[in-house]
Amino acid sequence: MTTTLAYEFETHRPRLFSLAYRLLGSAEEAEDAVQDAYLRFSGADRSGIEHPAAWLAKVVTNLCLNRLTSARARRERYVGTWLPEPVVTADGTLGPLESAEQRDAVSMAMLVLLERLTPTERAVYVLREAFGYGHREIAGVLDLSEANCRQLYRRAVQRVGEPQARFEPASEQQEELVTSFLTAARDGDLAGLEKLLTADATWWSDGGGKVIAARWPIEGGPRVAHFLAGGGPKFTGGLEFTVVEVNGATGLATWAGDTLVGLAAFEVRDGLIAGVRAVVNPEKLAFARRQFSRA
């Protein structure tokens, strides 16, 4: 590819990665899909590409659809709770997240909800909600009829729920809340933890069978508090923590020396912690490690 073509592709790369990540829930696979699109772009007949942005979006979407089919089979065999690969978002990696709705669209909670959809439903929903495509444009990307795309979108909304901001956006108050939560967990402070959690709070952890992690969700504020108070002092010894933005939400990065060993995203509702999704599977932290190494 010439320098000019390479530069042109790079101007589209951030948007393409953002699209692929929303479709796949995996930063590593999203990077692979974008790289495959780069190779196709470099070998394509330029006379047949009138609008590069649209052409590349179609290529990436269809590459992701192929990956989603095999990904679903792998996730059915996954050990314990499956969570998306976390992405540190304060640097704009997933595009501008200036509104609660934009943050919600890349939240761990939303990406888990999108797992309910078929690959094609997911593509229609993401193109419509996250990228503002009209049904006619979506039909062109997926080679479907406009009526079929409308039907797929309605079905997706029924399964996921009406688009809305489900959780409070990140703020300084949330950082203080998460810091208080960390302190209580490290101290084994049961009463302190209970005061910070909603009654229906849930803890999810994804170790993928690679490291020790709760294999099933822990549901209910009191149960989460007991779980953390009992194991917090034991499992946090020797580790360091920093508050970071994870998938548009306030989160915690866990470090063993200079090695990132965990990323957690917090859901906050009415000033309390309603959910925590913690990824400790080392394979799922590779992308975030590279993000921190470039910082």
Side-chain angles (χ1 to χ4, degrees), residues 213-289:
R215 289 201 172 188
W216 309 110
I218 299 169
E219 300 177 339
R223 292 188 64 195
V224 173
H226 275 86
F227 168 73
L228 293 171
K234 174 182 177 181
F235 291 110
T236 60
L239 299 175
E240 297 296 328
F241 299 84
T242 53
V243 177
V244 295
E245 185 181 290
V246 180
N247 287 68
T250 302
L252 278 177
T254 305
W255 303 87
D258 294 330
T259 302
L260 179 71
V261 295
L263 273 178
F266 288 73
E267 297 171 11
V268 176
R269 187 173 66 236
D270 298 328
L272 296 174
I273 294 169
V276 184
R277 288 179 170 83
V279 176
V280 292
N281 181 345
E283 293 179 357
K284 289 190 172 184
L285 297 172
F287 182 82
R289 289 195 189 105

Side-chain angles (χ1 to χ4, degrees), residues 77-100:
R77 301 190 301 270
Y78 197 77
V79 178
T81 298
W82 178 89
L83 293 175
E85 289 181 15
V87 173
V88 180
T89 46
D91 62 356
T93 295
L94 293 180
L97 303 177
E98 298 166 352
S99 68

Side-chain angles (χ1 to χ4, degrees), residues 89 99-100 103-104 107 165-183 196 242-252 264-276:
T89 46
S99 68
R103 290 176 179 274
D104 184 57
S107 68
R166 292 166 174 78
F167 308 105
E168 298 172 15
S171 66
E172 291 183 7
Q173 289 76 19
Q174 284 196 25
E175 290 189 19
E176 294 175 2
L177 179 65
V178 169
T179 300
S180 297
F181 173 87
L182 172 61
T183 299
L196 298 171
T242 53
V243 177
V244 295
E245 185 181 290
V246 180
N247 287 68
T250 302
L252 278 177
F266 288 73
E267 297 171 11
V268 176
R269 187 173 66 236
D270 298 328
L272 296 174
I273 294 169
V276 184

Side-chain angles (χ1 to χ4, degrees), residues 61-78:
T61 298
N62 284 284
L63 286 169
C64 290
L65 286 174
N66 293 335
R67 284 173 166 80
L68 277 171
T69 301
S70 59
R72 177 158 296 189
R74 292 197 306 273
R75 287 166 194 173
E76 288 175 353
R77 301 190 301 270
Y78 197 77

